[in-house]
Amino acid sequence: MAKKVDVYLAELIFAYQQATNKTLLEISLDFDVTLANLYTYRKRRGNPTAKTIDKIIAGVEENCPELLPERQKKPQPSADR
């Protein structure tokens, strides 16, 4: 079963905070999201719009892209092929 969006966002925000050692205020500025909403999303609450989700993903992609699944190292195909 795929992760729910609220779980994914909460985990992503937490991982971003751990990786960057930034406060939630600094992160809210990175993502251009209000501090109150960022707290809400981190607690797996709220109902972010697609535009807000895009802002968070864009902020992570710009500042800490290794946290995104598509940026994580994928196994390389064998050279024998």
Side-chain angles (χ1 to χ4, degrees):
M1 181 173 169
K3 260 184 209 179
K4 291 184 174 185
V5 173
D6 63 338
V7 173
Y8 180 77
L9 276 181
E11 289 176 354
L12 187 60
I13 292 166
F14 182 75
Y16 184 85
Q17 186 175 21
Q18 295 289 65
T20 61
N21 290 318
K22 291 185 176 185
T23 65
L24 284 180
L25 177 59
E26 293 169 319
I27 294 170
S28 72
L29 295 172
D30 287 350
F31 296 167
D32 191 27
V33 174
T34 66
L35 181 59
N37 282 344
L38 192 63
Y39 272 108
T40 303
Y41 305 145
R42 191 166 168 236
K43 292 180 181 181
R44 294 180 45 199
R45 296 193 174 110
N47 190 17
T49 63
K51 185 175 181 178
T52 299
I53 294 169
D54 286 346
K55 286 181 179 183
I56 293 170
I57 300 296
V60 172
E61 189 172 46
E62 181 179 321
N63 299 307
C64 212
E66 66 275 6
L67 296 177
L68 297 173
E70 62 270 5
R71 296 289 185 133
Q72 293 174 354
K73 187 172 181 168
K74 296 180 182 177
Q76 298 297 318
S78 173
D80 298 340
R81 294 183 187 172

